[in-house]
Every structure is written in structure tokens, then in C-alpha cells.
Amino acid sequence: MKEAKFVTGILLTLVFIFIFQIAAGFTEPSNDDRNILEKEQAEKEKQEQNGKKHSIKGLSVGDKVSDVKAVLGEPRRKDESEHDFDWYIYNEKYKEYLQVGIKNNEVVALLGTPSVINSPQKNYNNINREDVHSYYGDPNYKSEHKDGYAISSDGDNVDYKIGFYYDSFDNDQVYLAKILSDNYPLFSYNNYGDKSQEYFQDMEKQIIDQINVLRSTREKSSYYAHEGLNELVRTFSQSMAENNHSFSDIVDSNLDIEDWSINIAKGQNNALEIVNSWLNSPSNHREIIFEDFTFASVGTTKTEDEEISTILKAVSIENNEDIDIYVDGKRQEFERLPRVVDGSVIVPLGTLFNRLDVQMEWEPETKTIIAKKEGNTLKLQVDKKEYYFNDKKEKLNTPVEEIEDVIFVPLRVISENFDYKVTWNADYNLIIIE
């Protein structure tokens, strides 16, 4: 009798839970939610393993690339560094910006914002130079706007180094920190050798990323790349390196520019040093980082005396009533423009997927779109507020629509399923896809 009552109690509990979930509008986690949960669990496990080490998102020097991907997923980019390792770039959220240095499938360097640093000493959120000195004492490596420490577990041998970058105009707040293998100099200069032009283009992207990290601390929208502006700035940088330039050369652009400003640097020879020098400059160099511009581009060139000539141009554009889409900095032309419906941005699917190299099939009988890329399959149907990604059902707030023979879908379908960073800037009616 007791066993029967016990079983009955379990069944009633399960029924109650089921009814409660229905009443609460319970739905299965989306692809994004599941990925986040898996990464959070991997991060927690790495934090426990690296509990006595400094780490970023639980990752520390010596971890494997498989650990990195378990915690962070695939990187947005893989950039060359000034050393013999590659930077894995994670810039989806600038408040949690990360660069992970990988050599021979092993972590040798990490760079990140204070919010993602794990320390056996203290929480690094909202700390400044005074806090750092109170935690660690006098720095082993010291510069005007940065400090570095050699970390040893036995008091004799250096396990790794950690460096802090400060904003001297904001109470010396830490805005980035770097953890580095002892095999590399913490603050390095002029280490280029036979670096290719791709190396300098990677540096340009990192400069924009690190400026966007700083902008995120002021709740400013990110600067976006623009293909035409990129070429203009890079050409001007080359002219500047040859001492053969005029500032009028940098004014022309194929944008409807409302305002613009430029920064110039010569002698600071990596992204961290360039941004740190601009940030801590009392002149216009600092102001351009936080101004209300829209697009920004960087050009870098190596001079004959092995220094780097760098220029940053930021521009604001005139407000546009129509919605523009930029893919990797290039403005896209559409016969049917994107629009906002019930608070959601919807975009013309066929033309956009074609620009993103997504293969598409159309089933007219059921009005179903089948989109494929890199082994993934997306299925959508007109007038439905749902879709299938790799046979997993997902919900939409806005239905797939057919407007004047063109299929429109919510913008989030792209960002959640095909690994693109998608930003909607409502102030300027811009969709930025990277």
C-alpha cells in the first residue's frame, strides 16, 4: 500500500510539473541557449581546474585548444601576432572581449576585459592601478600606463606573466589585462621580421576591436568597418610613411559624411600600444575613441626605419530613412529594402543569403525555403512563426513573410544560426553583418 501511494505521489508530481510548465509557457532552450549552457559548464570546470592560476573565462596558459573551443566555441577570426603564435579573436560582446594566443594547439597568451578575468586574489571588475599595486606590490615591469608582474608558484621559477592596461583619465581604471607565457616579453616592440601585409591588416582589426572595448565601457555603439573607407585610410597611411601626404587626401570618401576626425600614430608598434597611447593622450587622440561616430577604419604601414605608421579615421554619416545592410564593411544593394515590423527587423532572405554564400532551395508547393551552409540546414516556411535548424524546431516572434514576391525573415535567424555577428543600429538604420 505504501509503495502504491509513493508511486501515485510521483505521478501526481510529474503531472503538476507538466501543467506548470505549460501554464508558464515553457519551451525548450533555443540553439543559442543550449550553446551558452554548454559553454558555461565548460568554463566552470576549467575554473575549478585552474583555481590557483590567473585565468580568463577559466582558461589559463598551458590549456589545450580543445579547452578553448569547449569554453568559447569557434573564434570569430584567427589573427597573426607579433610573435610566433596566432590570436583567436572572440569579439561577439565587447564587454567580454577575448584574444587567445595559440601555438602548437596550446594556450600561450590571453587578453581580455576585467569582467572575464578569474584571479585567486580578487575580482577584477572595476579595479584601478592602486588596487593592482595593493594586490601584487611593486610591478616587475612598469611603464607609464601599464604594469606587469611575474607570477611564480614556488617563488623561484616564473610560471607566467600578467600585465594591466590603464586609462589615466578615468582614475587609472584597468580596461584590458594580458596573461602571457614566460617565453614571450610582456610589453614587446619592433618584432616584425618578415611579417606579411596580412599581419598588419590583422593589427588594424584589433585596433578597432580594442577601441570598441573602450566604447562599450561608456555604453557607446561600436564602430563599424567600411570597405571604401578602409582603402582610403590604408593608402593615406602608406603616403604618410613615405612623408608624402596631404590631409586633404583623407577627406574624400564615398560616404555621405556628416562629421569626421583622424588620429595618427608613429612608433607604437602593436594594437595594444597604439590604443593605449591614444587613450592616454590629452589631445584629440583620446576624444575620437568616445565620439559619436559611426564608421571607423585603420591603416598601418611599416616604414623604412622599421616603425609603424598608423592612422585612424572615424566618420559619422547622415541619418538614412531606409535601412542599409553592410556585409564585412561593404554596403549591399537590394531591390527590396529591409524593414521593421512589430519591433523586429526583417530582411530579404534570398538576396542576403546569396551575398553570404548560403545555398538555397525553394519548394513552391509548400512555400518552404531550405538553406544550407557548412553542413548546417535551415528550413523556413512562409507565414510560420517557427523554423527548423538541423531538424530542431525553433520559435520566431515575427513570421516569415512573402511581400511582393520576396521572402522576408527576422534578422535574428541569420545571427543565431550561421555564425555571423549581426548588429542592428537603430540610430542610423544600419544592419552590420560580420
Side-chain angles (χ1 to χ4, degrees):
M1 180 66 71
K2 289 183 179 180
E3 289 182 358
K5 288 182 178 179
F6 178 72
V7 172
T8 302
I10 292 176
L11 290 173
L12 287 172
T13 301
L14 292 173
V15 169
F16 174 77
I17 292 172
F18 178 71
I19 294 171
F20 176 79
Q21 288 176 341
I22 293 174
F26 173 80
T27 57
E28 286 194 65
S30 66
N31 286 330
D32 271 7
D33 292 335
R34 283 189 291 272
N35 289 336
I36 289 170
L37 291 172
E38 290 171 1
K39 290 174 182 177
E40 286 177 348
Q41 180 60 33
E43 178 183 345
K44 183 178 179 182
E45 292 173 1
K46 290 306 300 179
Q47 284 180 2
E48 291 174 355
Q49 293 173 18
N50 291 323
K52 294 184 179 181
K53 295 181 182 179
H54 294 81
S55 61
I56 292 182
K57 280 284 187 177
L59 299 166
S60 192
V61 169
D63 284 336
K64 301 300 181 184
V65 71
S66 56
D67 299 321
V68 175
K69 292 182 178 180
V71 174
L72 303 174
E74 291 291 335
R76 291 288 176 180
R77 298 194 316 267
K78 293 181 182 179
D79 291 355
E80 289 186 50
S81 76
E82 66 266 39
H83 304 293
D84 59 355
F85 60 79
D86 290 331
W87 283 118
Y88 281 28
I89 307 296
Y90 294 88
N91 64 358
E92 186 170 345
K93 297 179 181 178
Y94 281 116
K95 288 186 177 181
E96 299 180 4
Y97 179 74
L98 278 167
Q99 294 182 200
V100 184
I102 301 292
K103 179 184 178 183
N104 297 330
N105 291 320
E106 188 171 293
V107 175
V108 294
L110 299 116
L111 175 73
T113 56
S115 64
V116 296
I117 300 173
N118 314 114
S119 166
Q121 278 83 10
K122 295 287 183 179
N123 186 319
Y124 282 164
N125 271 323
N126 299 316
I127 66 167
N128 62 13
R129 194 170 208 165
E130 184 178 347
D131 296 323
V132 171
H133 288 184
S134 70
Y135 300 161
Y136 299 100
D138 293 333
N140 303 106
Y141 318 94
K142 188 171 184 178
S143 185
E144 190 174 5
H145 305 299
K146 51 188 180 290
D147 291 323
Y149 294 86
I151 306 299
S152 173
S153 57
D154 59 13
D156 294 320
N157 301 307
V158 176
D159 299 325
Y160 54 87
K161 303 166 185 172
I162 183 167
F164 300 92
Y165 291 79
Y166 307 113
D167 180 354
S168 62
F169 289 90
D170 188 16
N171 194 32
D172 277 329
Q173 288 288 116
V174 175
Y175 68 93
L176 282 173
K178 179 167 63 175
I179 303 171
L180 194 66
S181 163
D182 189 42
N183 295 325
Y184 302 97
L186 188 58
F187 305 129
S188 58
Y189 305 89
N190 300 321
N191 190 15
Y192 301 110
D194 58 351
K195 291 291 187 182
S196 66
Q197 185 59 34
E198 284 75 19
Y199 164 73
F200 295 103
Q201 291 176 3
D202 288 345
M203 185 196 301
E204 294 165 3
K205 296 171 186 174
Q206 290 172 35
I207 290 171
I208 295 295
D209 279 337
Q210 291 172 28
I211 287 174
N212 283 336
V213 167
L214 290 163
R215 290 178 65 81
S216 73
T217 66
R218 304 286 184 88
E219 305 301 330
K220 297 279 188 178
S221 61
S222 298
Y223 282 155
Y224 310 123
H226 185 278
E227 187 179 69
L229 190 62
N230 290 349
E231 293 304 316
L232 182 75
V233 172
R234 191 169 292 125
T235 300
F236 184 84
S237 175
Q238 293 169 352
S239 299
M240 190 175 72
E242 298 165 0
N243 292 314
N244 177 28
H245 66 276
S246 166
F247 281 102
S248 62
D249 298 336
I250 196 73
V251 177
D252 297 327
S253 175
N254 58 351
L255 286 169
D256 294 326
I257 292 177
E258 189 176 76
D259 194 11
W260 64 277
S261 184
I262 64 170
N263 269 0
I264 294 175
K266 193 172 182 180
Q268 295 85 17
N269 292 309
N270 58 51
L272 276 166
E273 303 304 326
I274 290 168
V275 174
N276 189 255
S277 68
W278 283 339
L279 177 67
N280 291 288
S281 168
S283 66
N284 181 58
H285 291 113
R286 175 183 174 82
E287 297 305 317
I288 193 174
I289 292 174
F290 299 111
E291 287 291 337
D292 292 325
F293 295 114
T294 314
F295 293 99
S297 291
V298 175
T300 60
T301 305
K302 184 168 66 173
T303 65
E304 291 183 357
D305 55 358
E306 295 296 309
E307 288 189 331
I308 296 298
S309 165
T310 305
I311 184 165
L312 163 72
K313 181 175 181 180
V315 303
S316 57
I317 61 173
E318 297 177 359
N319 285 344
N320 190 1
E321 292 184 2
D322 295 328
I323 296 176
D324 282 335
I325 296 182
Y326 285 79
V327 176
D328 292 331
K330 187 173 182 179
R331 185 176 180 274
Q332 306 296 307
E333 299 288 345
F334 295 94
E335 292 183 9
R336 298 286 188 274
L337 295 174
R339 57 191 72 189
V340 178
V341 176
D342 296 331
S344 295
V345 180
I346 61 173
V347 295
L349 181 66
T351 307
L352 183 57
F353 271 13
N354 183 54
R355 306 288 166 82
L356 299 176
D357 296 324
V358 178
Q359 296 180 345
M360 284 186 52
E361 300 174 11
W362 168 248
E363 295 180 352
E365 297 83 6
T366 58
K367 292 193 173 183
T368 299
I369 305 102
I370 302 173
K372 297 180 180 180
K373 184 172 184 178
E374 297 175 350
N376 295 308
T377 301
L378 176 72
K379 292 183 179 181
L380 308 106
Q381 193 171 3
V382 172
D383 296 330
K384 297 290 186 181
K385 295 179 70 173
E386 62 191 29
Y387 67 92
Y388 289 84
F389 185 73
N390 293 336
D391 295 326
K392 184 68 179 178
K393 186 177 180 179
E394 306 289 351
K395 295 291 186 180
L396 291 170
N397 294 328
T398 304
V400 178
E401 295 189 48
E402 185 175 13
I403 304 173
E404 298 177 1
D405 298 324
V406 175
I407 307 299
F408 283 78
V409 299
L411 182 61
R412 55 165 283 212
V413 170
I414 301 168
S415 60
E416 289 186 2
N417 298 290
F418 284 118
D419 201 29
Y420 287 95
K421 183 179 180 181
V422 180
T423 306
W424 162 239
N425 185 320
D427 292 334
Y428 289 94
N429 282 341
L430 293 174
I431 296 171
I432 309 295
I433 301 176
E434 300 170 294

